[in-house]
Amino acid sequence: MEKALEFKEVRKSLGGKEILKGITFSVRVGDVFGYLGPNGAGKTTTIRVLLDLLPPDGGEVWLFGRPSNPETRRRIGFLLENDGLFDGLTAAENLFLFARLYGAPRPRVGELLELVGLKGKERDRVGTFSKGMRQRLALARALLHDPELLVLDEPTAGLDPTGQMEVRELVRELAGSGKTVFLSSHNLDEVERLCNRIALIHRGEIRLQGETHELMRGDRTGYVVEPSKPLSPELIQGLCSQADLGFAGEEGGALLFEPREGMGLKTLVSRLEEMGIEIEAIRRARASLEELYRRIIMEEEWGTSSQS
Amino acid sequence: MGDFFAIVALSLRANLRHRQGLIGVIVLAISIVPVFFAMKGTLQELLARASWDVVRPWVGNALGLSGYLVSLLCTVFLGVMLGVGALTQEKAKGAMEALLAAPVREMALWWAKVTACFLPALVLGIPATIGILWALNVTVIVPAVGKAFLPAPILATVLLGVPLLGLGLAALVNLVGLLVANPNLGSLAVVVVVIAVSNILPRLGLEFASWAFAYANMAAGGLILAGSVVAARFFLTKQRIILSARRL
């Protein structure tokens, strides 16, 4: 599948500190790619390198199968962490400026204002806008030249829940229309819901990347069983005593099993029924992105701090 | 050139709407009035003291000083005030980063910012300077001598020398503003340069109405402009502009 974006061993140091330590990842055309990491991990630097705001010290950035150049970068639309709008200008003027820079037709400004729900606000100064309105306007600006790759840096940061939902919905619509989306965020829930592929950056290195569902499934091999009524302490104790069931614990009333090799789903169900446990639902266990994130980031942080 | 013109249009709007720009225009309008009345009194006193042939060089000097002061106030200080406020805000709020992430070259951005500061200052400065020279002629010189008096070196100074100095300083202040965290350092640099220039030139024994004074101003402006261009070629990069922004 054609790649919209590739980072190949990209390195970047700032102020004597190595921010990106040879990162490699790729985003395929049509992906909604989540770029995760804690604050200071190197997410914003990655985006700045991608947008040619910072030159890499080493490695290469490729866009649409070619080394990044002004022409390929024109195929990118971006929404930066600070929306980057001009407060002294009106909503329409902000868009006209970028329409002119990208050579987009003027009528597109009206279309996009309508798309992001800011029709009727075009003559209002951006300085008077709420955070949500600003974010939607910045998203409209990113779409002016109908880019193939959308780079979004924390698009829902600082928004109230309604604003977050609106922006997510817009991103979902854009992804549905075939655009490739590169979404940098530390909102795990957002990434889990929106992205089909993810990469996790920590301390300037990519620690994990791949298909979201595979990463989450690959982490656990067991089953989650939802009993129709809460289990008594005796039953729980009974589960613990049967080692081959691989009872791994209880999470919000659901029971997690990681059975020993050779024990199939049928056997597990019949064994539980024998014990008098009524099953309401059963599904494959799947780690949440939060768990994956916690394991990689938090354990490393903990390990480092305990070593030091 | 598309990026240049687009940013000039944007920055002109932003500068003229920015509070600091408006304050600049008001302060300027107020400060021209005392210059006019002070010079009017001086000229009246000079013309009353001796014959025209005797006081002519002194009148020329006083007229030159009036034109120089107003021209300096409008073309230099207003230009600086117009630019700095908006630039600070744009950097701090990430607007500059968004511009640079679009197809915009650093040099085009810089020249556009310079133009957006300098153009309104020039448009206001030249009529204000010509206006004060005309008003002093109409109210003092013509009634006393019977003819207007406006030596060519004065015109060269206010129409070429000071605007060139203003352009050089607008280039310097915007360059400093783009490269450092506190763009007010640019204004400070301009104030220092203007005080130095306006003190050094008269101390060199140059009369305000002389060609030497006009040339000296042109040379100073040209040197500052050339220095800024060379510095920009070396130091003005997207990385420096972005990393020097102080986030709000």
Side-chain angles (χ1 to χ4, degrees), chain B residues 200-223:
Chain B
I200 291 168
L201 294 185
R203 276 169 209 274
L204 291 173
L206 304 175
E207 298 289 339
F208 284 106
S210 67
W211 280 109
F213 187 71
Y215 293 144
N217 274 284
M218 288 180 214
L223 273 175

Side-chain angles (χ1 to χ4, degrees), chain B residues 4-238:
Chain B
F4 169 78
F5 288 113
I7 301 169
V8 169
L10 147 88
S11 303
L12 276 173
R13 280 200 201 99
N15 287 353
L16 295 173
R17 284 178 192 168
H18 197 271
R19 198 185 305 147
Q20 201 164 334
L22 286 176
I23 293 169
V25 174
I26 294 164
V27 168
L28 182 75
I30 294 167
S31 57
I32 290 174
V33 177
V35 172
F36 171 74
F37 283 108
M39 283 304 160
K40 187 181 173 192
T42 308
L43 287 174
Q44 279 170 335
E45 207 176 299
L46 278 173
L47 288 165
R49 206 175 273 179
S51 68
W52 172 241
D53 289 335
V54 175
V55 296
R56 192 182 149 127
W58 299 97
V59 170
N61 211 25
L63 210 54
L65 175 61
S66 317
Y68 190 62
L69 277 177
V70 172
S71 181
L72 212 58
L73 274 172
C74 299
T75 323
V76 176
F77 283 111
L78 182 62
V80 170
M81 284 191 82
L82 275 176
V84 169
L87 189 68
T88 312
Q89 210 173 39
E90 285 167 14
K91 274 186 82 174
K93 290 202 165 181
M96 202 65 81
E97 187 169 348
L99 262 187
L100 289 167
V104 170
R105 294 156 301 149
E106 306 87 303
M107 289 299 271
L109 171 69
W110 175 53
W111 277 115
K113 288 281 166 198
V114 173
T115 308
C117 292
F118 180 62
L119 212 58
L122 194 70
V123 166
L124 286 170
I126 289 194
T129 311
I130 297 297
I132 201 164
L133 293 173
W134 174 82
L136 287 170
N137 263 282
V138 168
T139 55
V140 186
I141 298 171
V142 174
V145 187
K147 59 179 179 183
F149 177 63
L150 193 56
I154 294 181
L155 281 176
T157 303
V158 298
L159 295 180
L160 282 173
V162 180
L164 198 54
L165 191 62
L167 180 61
L169 291 170
L172 176 69
V173 76
N174 278 286
L175 181 63
V176 175
L178 286 171
L179 291 176
V180 301
N182 183 359
N184 288 319
L185 280 178
S187 320
L188 189 67
V190 167
V191 171
V192 171
V193 171
V194 169
I195 291 172
V197 168
S198 55
N199 273 284
I200 291 168
L201 294 185
R203 276 169 209 274
L204 291 173
L206 304 175
E207 298 289 339
F208 284 106
S210 67
W211 280 109
F213 187 71
Y215 293 144
N217 274 284
M218 288 180 214
L223 273 175
I224 295 167
L225 185 61
S228 302
V229 171
V230 172
R233 290 254 172 235
F234 277 107
F235 299 113
L236 195 63
T237 60
K238 289 182 179 181

